Amino acid sequence: MSPCAKVFSCLTATILLAACDPLTLTVAGVGASAGVQHTMTGIVTRTLAAPLPDVRDAARSALTSMDIKINGRYRIWTGEEFQATAGGREISVKMEALTAKTTRVEVTARNGLLYDAATATEIVNQTEKALAVQTAAAATAKH
């Protein structure tokens, strides 16, 4: 292969590989961005098909069963909020009535400047379980 052909081959390969690089960087950036946003915000939300009073009772039950101390219950513009503490974390459980039968739950667990998405997720999961138990008990009581 002549020296000119070698240079041409190297330049062609460089141009072709460089054309793929923006795609690679974009995909890597989107994936990294999603992961960082989740750990930095640490806010977990879920919409539940249940009225606010039922979700409030389920959230209280979940926090109690997890041995998380509820420090207060407050009315907020869109619904209600529990403030709680556990393991040095400040926990906020906000419940917003979207309709008479639908409630949005937002849980935040903070340890100083850091957010704990795992704890917030488990609080939402336990609230859903408590709500299922309440719903089953109410259905059994009707029969």
Side-chain angles (χ1 to χ4, degrees):
M1 183 182 253
S2 72
C4 201
K6 286 181 184 179
V7 170
F8 179 76
S9 295
C10 286
L11 286 175
T12 302
T14 302
I15 290 170
L16 290 175
L17 290 175
C20 293
D21 195 42
L23 177 62
T24 304
L25 291 175
T26 301
V27 170
V30 168
S33 166
V36 170
Q37 184 175 355
H38 180 70
T39 57
M40 289 189 65
T41 63
I43 299 171
V44 177
T45 61
R46 180 98 23 104
T47 300
L48 304 172
L52 177 66
D54 292 354
V55 174
R56 178 188 56 230
D57 293 344
R60 182 185 295 116
S61 177
L63 292 169
T64 301
S65 72
M66 294 175 73
D67 204 23
I68 296 174
K69 182 182 181 214
I70 299 172
N71 300 322
R73 179 179 140 212
Y74 307 95
R75 292 199 186 278
I76 56 175
W77 177 256
T78 57
E80 296 185 34
E81 177 181 12
F82 286 129
Q83 290 288 326
T85 53
R89 287 161 179 75
E90 297 174 6
I91 298 166
S92 167
V93 180
K94 295 179 182 173
M95 297 154 284
E96 172 188 6
L98 300 177
T99 69
K101 295 181 179 180
T102 308
T103 305
R104 181 178 178 269
V105 178
E106 176 184 290
V107 180
T108 306
R110 288 183 59 173
N111 187 3
L113 296 176
L114 302 175
Y115 288 86
D116 183 353
T119 298
T121 300
E122 188 58 21
I123 291 168
V124 170
N125 291 341
Q126 292 300 318
T127 299
E128 284 185 291
K129 285 181 183 179
L131 187 60
V133 168
Q134 288 175 358
T135 304
T140 303
K142 287 182 179 181
H143 295 298

